[in-house]
Amino acid sequence: MVVDKILINYTAGDKKGQVSVDQYTELAILADLVMPEKKKDYIAAVVDGKLREMNYFLENDSNVEFIGIDTTIGFDIYKRGLTLLMMKAFDDILKGSPDYEIYVMYSLGNGYFCRISDNVSLTDELIENVKKRMKDIADMDLAIDKRSFSSDEARARFADMGLKDKVKLLNYRRVSRINLYNLAGYYDYFYGYMPSSTGYLRAFDIVKYDDGFVLVVPDRKALDEPITYRAPAKLYRVLRQSEDWGRMMEINCVGDINRVITEGGINDLMLVQEALMEKNIADVAERIIKEDKRVVLIAGPSSSGKTTFSHRLSIQLRAHGMHPHPIALDNFFKERNDTPRDENGNYDFECLGAMDLDLFGSKISELLSGKEVEMPRFDFNLGKKVYNGDKLRLNEGDVLVCEGIHALNPKMTEALPENEKFKIYISALNMLNVDEHNRIATTDGRLLRRIIRDARTRGNDARMTIRMWPSVRRGEEKNIFPYQEEADVMFNSALIYELSAIKQYAEPLLFGVPRDSEEYLEANRLLKFLDYFLGFESTNVPQTSIIREFIGGGCFDI
């Protein structure tokens, strides 16, 4: 019998080559052939422009680009695999126990906060047994198989398992068949691709925290280094508040929001959510006044709604008799010729070195001392600060509201008295999950917001925004996230209904990303994600809503 040969051009990091293999060779076998010592460092591959799992069989001559665990796509696959591994371990350890439920709630530092139902005692012994079982399964390198079921079969299977959120999700899916992943007889549904076996999942930890536990993930760039975990306490508190809001509104997963839309209750839900957010902003304003703060510092990652939040906070301060003055930190950039450059020789506007710290410190200090000060405005076309006679003096009841990415960096405001500062960290911390075991990444919501806003206000297409996003994220990780726990208040700007509201704006932009572009994989992933949501007409979204900063039609001058 003659076996057909196919020609494969492959790339794995810096390594490139060409090899002839048998037709229907599995990607994992190809990896073992061309890089045996590093085969478990590559968890998926792009085959002729399409993302494939490592148990995919090559049928024709192909171009193969292996995806490392240390990449964004690869690490997302790794983390999904860890969730399945954890669920299988709990299933093995608790077999014969009363029915229980595990919820993967939200990202908390370098891990996922999870909760188990009250009928299971979450003891140290149980955690240790689950960790040991996870390690045993990983060491066995068991296959993770994808199997196709009809939607009705999958729904019945999940109903038998007590996975109510998955049943709700499938009630609003138009596809006739569903892919489930099987690990040694344990079946589950996951949004996104998975490892082909447990042997890739060599690093993890589980630690108890509050009334649940955290599935801790490693540093993607250092899988073999010891894993440490420290929970961000302030972030946890605001996430728990958002969780409580969702429970109060009876919205915990995508299926719940879809139900509200189909039953015609979306307008009421919007009004309740906006009222809760407005009350939160009012509470922040009251605290600023009570603590007699004169410098409010607001920072947060891209597309968090900082500008709208600043306007709404200013309105609340006015309602309490105060006089807020907005100060944009962008007006304190250094002159273009003095701006640092990055490793590629481009101006680095994201780094702290791009800010004129001395000027900012002196201007704000003079204002606090009662002097009249002429404030600069940075002209981005000229690349320098200009002065147009914009003078400011602080009177009784006046508050400076300063907004910018470095606002929480102590070096930005080290010239100012600590007792004058009130620090606010704002981010769009998603409070909705796909189902029990599939969380929605906060970064996905922010990326969709930015795609819509960039297309509307900056003329950037989705391809360009997706291309820039990794650079934006690196800047956030360096300049914003390290200071979030220093904030006096952490504010969640995510809206429980927003993904359904922005669906109609995002989908046409994502469909416009060319199939032959590097950004297509990410655009396609986001399109598949949005397909879980029913959309609704956004006319009734309040004009003051933070989401208006992105879709347009708001009442603020942004």
Side-chain angles (χ1 to χ4, degrees):
M1 177 178 171
V2 178
V3 178
D4 291 335
K5 293 286 187 178
I6 55 175
L7 191 63
I8 304 299
N9 295 303
Y10 68 88
T11 302
D14 295 331
K15 185 176 182 179
K16 295 183 178 182
Q18 188 179 78
V19 64
S20 177
V21 298
D22 293 342
Q23 190 180 26
Y24 303 113
T25 293
E26 195 176 33
L27 279 171
I29 301 298
L30 176 65
D32 190 24
L33 176 66
V34 301
M35 46 179 179
E37 72 288 353
K38 291 186 175 181
K39 62 182 179 180
K40 291 299 186 183
D41 292 341
Y42 292 89
I43 200 166
V46 176
V47 180
D48 296 329
K50 293 185 178 181
L51 188 62
R52 301 294 189 185
E53 293 162 338
M54 293 297 281
N55 50 14
Y56 175 78
F57 292 96
L58 297 161
E59 298 184 34
N60 305 298
D61 296 346
S62 301
N63 294 310
V64 174
E65 179 184 354
F66 287 103
I67 302 297
I69 293 173
D70 62 347
T71 65
T72 300
I73 293 175
F75 199 52
D76 283 344
I77 294 171
Y78 186 91
K79 290 183 288 188
R80 278 190 290 272
L82 282 184
T83 303
L84 175 60
L85 179 65
M86 179 187 72
M87 296 304 303
K88 168 61 177 170
F90 267 106
D91 189 62
D92 287 350
I93 297 297
L94 295 176
K95 265 194 184 345
S97 301
D99 291 341
Y100 65 93
E101 297 173 326
I102 293 177
Y103 295 90
V104 180
M105 301 299 297
Y106 31 73
S107 180
L108 190 63
N110 60 315
Y112 297 143
F113 179 75
C114 306
R115 192 174 288 114
I116 194 165
S117 49
D118 293 339
N119 60 340
V120 174
S121 179
L122 189 62
T123 63
D124 292 334
E125 181 183 11
L126 174 60
I127 293 294
E128 288 303 314
N129 287 339
V130 169
K131 283 198 291 188
K132 183 179 183 304
R133 183 58 183 156
M134 288 176 69
K135 187 176 187 311
D136 290 343
I137 297 171
D139 289 343
M140 286 187 279
D141 197 15
L142 298 180
I144 299 175
D145 299 320
K146 183 190 297 182
R147 300 189 183 181
S148 177
F149 292 83
S150 72
S151 295
D152 289 341
E153 288 175 315
R155 192 179 293 108
R157 182 179 288 269
F158 289 138
D160 289 342
M161 295 172 68
L163 298 176
K164 303 180 185 67
D165 291 352
K166 291 185 187 290
V167 174
K168 294 176 190 174
L169 182 72
L170 294 182
N171 286 338
Y172 301 96
R173 296 284 285 165
R174 288 173 289 188
V175 294
S176 59
R177 301 196 67 79
I178 299 291
N179 290 323
L180 305 186
Y181 286 94
N182 169 45
L183 173 54
Y186 178 85
Y187 287 86
D188 209 340
Y189 173 76
F190 285 91
Y191 149 57
Y193 291 87
M194 294 286 283
S196 61
S197 73
T198 60
Y200 295 93
L201 308 172
R202 61 183 184 265
F204 55 84
D205 196 6
I206 298 182
V207 297
K208 288 180 65 176
Y209 185 72
D210 198 44
D211 60 351
F213 60 94
V214 178
L215 172 61
V216 185
V217 301
D219 183 337
R220 71 181 190 185
K221 302 288 187 181
L223 286 180
D224 298 318
E225 295 294 321
I227 301 175
T228 58
Y229 183 73
R230 181 180 178 184
K234 291 180 181 178
L235 178 63
Y236 176 66
R237 285 198 292 273
V238 75
L239 287 166
R240 282 302 293 259
Q241 180 192 54
S242 298
E243 181 187 340
D244 292 341
W245 285 3
R247 188 179 301 111
M248 180 183 69
M249 293 182 285
E250 300 182 339
I251 304 292
N252 300 307
C253 62
V254 173
D256 290 330
I257 198 80
N258 288 341
R259 170 184 52 78
V260 170
I261 292 171
T262 58
E263 292 176 356
I266 192 62
N267 286 338
D268 287 345
L269 178 66
M270 279 195 297
L271 293 173
V272 171
Q273 166 77 103
E274 294 288 350
L276 288 168
M277 184 169 285
E278 193 62 34
K279 182 180 183 302
N280 229 11
I281 297 172
D283 291 343
V284 174
E286 289 177 1
R287 184 172 165 187
I288 292 169
I289 296 166
K290 182 179 179 180
E291 297 180 16
D292 194 25
K293 302 295 185 179
R294 292 197 293 168
V295 182
V296 177
L297 302 164
I298 303 171
S302 174
S303 303
S304 292
K306 295 184 290 293
T307 307
T308 300
F309 172 80
S310 299
H311 281 291
R312 288 173 65 173
L313 178 61
S314 294
I315 289 171
Q316 286 293 339
L317 288 169
R318 288 192 186 100
H320 286 79
M322 305 299 287
H323 306 286
H325 300 280
I327 304 290
L329 266 60
D330 283 359
N331 285 326
F332 289 88
F333 274 121
K334 288 180 177 177
E335 313 300 278
R336 187 66 43 80
N337 291 338
D338 297 326
T339 302
R341 294 179 182 268
D342 62 19
E343 64 275 9
N344 298 316
N346 300 317
Y347 288 117
D348 187 356
F349 298 111
E350 304 291 320
C351 72
L352 184 65
M355 306 303 298
D356 193 334
L357 302 182
D358 291 338
L359 181 66
F360 177 78
S362 64
K363 291 287 186 182
I364 303 302
S365 295
E366 289 175 1
L367 285 169
L368 293 176
S369 68
K371 295 180 181 179
E372 183 178 69
V373 176
E374 185 176 9
M375 302 299 288
R377 180 182 63 82
F378 195 86
D379 188 314
F380 287 90
N381 292 321
L382 297 176
K384 65 178 183 178
K385 293 180 283 293
V386 296
Y387 291 86
N388 298 321
D390 298 325
K391 296 183 178 181
L392 179 62
R393 184 196 299 273
L394 292 187
N395 299 306
E396 184 70 24
D398 284 4
V399 181
L400 299 176
V401 181
C402 307
E403 180 257 310
I405 66 171
H406 297 291
L408 299 189
N409 189 323
K411 292 182 179 179
M412 186 79 206
T413 59
E414 63 183 354
L416 308 181
E418 283 299 319
N419 65 327
E420 298 281 14
K421 303 176 191 175
F422 190 88
K423 294 171 282 189
I424 301 173
Y425 176 82
I426 176 173
S427 187
L429 304 167
N430 174 68
M431 65 186 81
L432 198 67
N433 283 348
V434 174
D435 57 40
E436 293 92 342
H437 307 152
N438 287 272
R439 52 175 293 277
I440 296 174
T442 289
T443 51
D444 282 351
R446 290 196 294 112
L447 175 54
L448 288 166
R449 282 180 172 189
R450 178 145 180 173
I451 287 170
I452 295 165
R453 185 185 62 191
D454 282 3
R456 184 176 62 83
T457 65
R458 302 179 184 178
N460 292 348
D461 59 15
R463 179 183 181 182
M464 185 178 299
T465 302
I466 292 171
R467 183 188 305 150
M468 293 187 305
W469 191 243
S471 176
V472 172
R473 295 278 292 124
R474 286 192 295 271
E476 294 169 349
E477 290 171 1
K478 181 179 180 181
N479 300 311
I480 299 176
F481 297 148
Y483 307 106
Q484 64 182 24
E485 287 290 307
E486 302 300 317
D488 297 297
V489 165
M490 196 171 286
F491 184 86
N492 186 5
S493 69
L495 296 155
I496 205 163
Y497 67 83
E498 74 172 75
L499 291 169
S500 294
I502 67 177
K503 174 186 172 84
Q504 62 178 313
Y505 298 91
E507 284 182 332
L509 299 172
L510 293 167
F511 275 117
V513 176
R515 286 179 173 268
D516 59 354
S517 68
E518 293 183 4
E519 296 75 26
Y520 175 74
L521 285 177
E522 180 69 350
N524 193 49
R525 182 187 71 81
L526 291 170
L527 280 168
K528 289 182 177 179
F529 165 61
L530 287 172
D531 199 43
Y532 290 119
F533 293 84
L534 298 181
F536 67 91
E537 216 287 314
S538 61
T539 301
N540 291 333
V541 173
Q543 287 187 315
T544 57
S545 176
I546 279 178
I547 203 63
R548 286 289 182 189
E549 184 172 328
F550 306 95
I551 66 175
C555 61
F556 299 119
D557 184 16
I558 297 176

